[in-house]
Amino acid sequence: MMEFKNNKGIFQQIADNICERVLSGEYAPGDKVQSVRKLAATLGVNQNTIMRTFIELQHNNIVENRRGVGYFVTDNAPKMIRDMRKEEFTQEILPAFIQQVKLLGITREELEPLFNQLKENEDEDK
């Protein structure tokens, strides 16, 4: 069962969770996502909330509805999710991070270990 936070709507948190599962490979392109009824029962939420989640995911081309069969992960879902998350990161998270760095007087030297971790991630991807 998911623990919901107050900072986002429940349907959006469920959509984020499904996106995480796509990015982690738990749901591969072409995979069937749990049914509305089953997901609602598993998460303890109203089926309308799940439908809203799927409508949102469908709008963003993350899932597609195959009438009478269910919702499936689209072929380009991982790329779509990464693109959306990168935009959110650069538009919202990074500016807030920079603002906090300035407010807290954090120096470049103090951030160096963080940048080294990013470099390690880049090296692993090669």
Side-chain angles (χ1 to χ4, degrees), residues 62-113:
I62 307 300
V63 299
E64 61 187 356
N65 185 10
R66 297 185 191 159
R67 218 166 180 67
V69 184
Y71 287 91
F72 291 79
V73 178
T74 63
D75 289 341
N76 61 347
K79 181 186 180 327
M80 298 295 293
I81 295 166
R82 278 190 201 93
D83 289 350
M84 287 185 335
R85 296 239 170 134
K86 282 180 183 178
E87 184 174 338
E88 178 185 352
F89 181 79
T90 57
Q91 298 295 316
E92 298 172 25
I93 297 169
L94 199 53
F97 172 79
I98 291 168
Q99 179 67 20
Q100 286 300 308
V101 167
K102 288 178 181 177
L103 287 173
L104 299 173
I106 297 173
T107 65
R108 180 182 293 257
E109 290 76 29
E110 290 173 303
L111 291 174
E112 195 70 36

Side-chain angles (χ1 to χ4, degrees), residues 6-29:
N6 290 329
N7 62 337
K8 272 189 180 177
I10 291 174
F11 84 96
Q12 187 61 54
Q13 292 177 62
I14 296 168
D16 288 347
N17 179 267
I18 291 171
C19 289
E20 293 284 330
R21 293 165 80 175
V22 169
L23 289 178
S24 74
E26 186 177 336
Y27 283 139

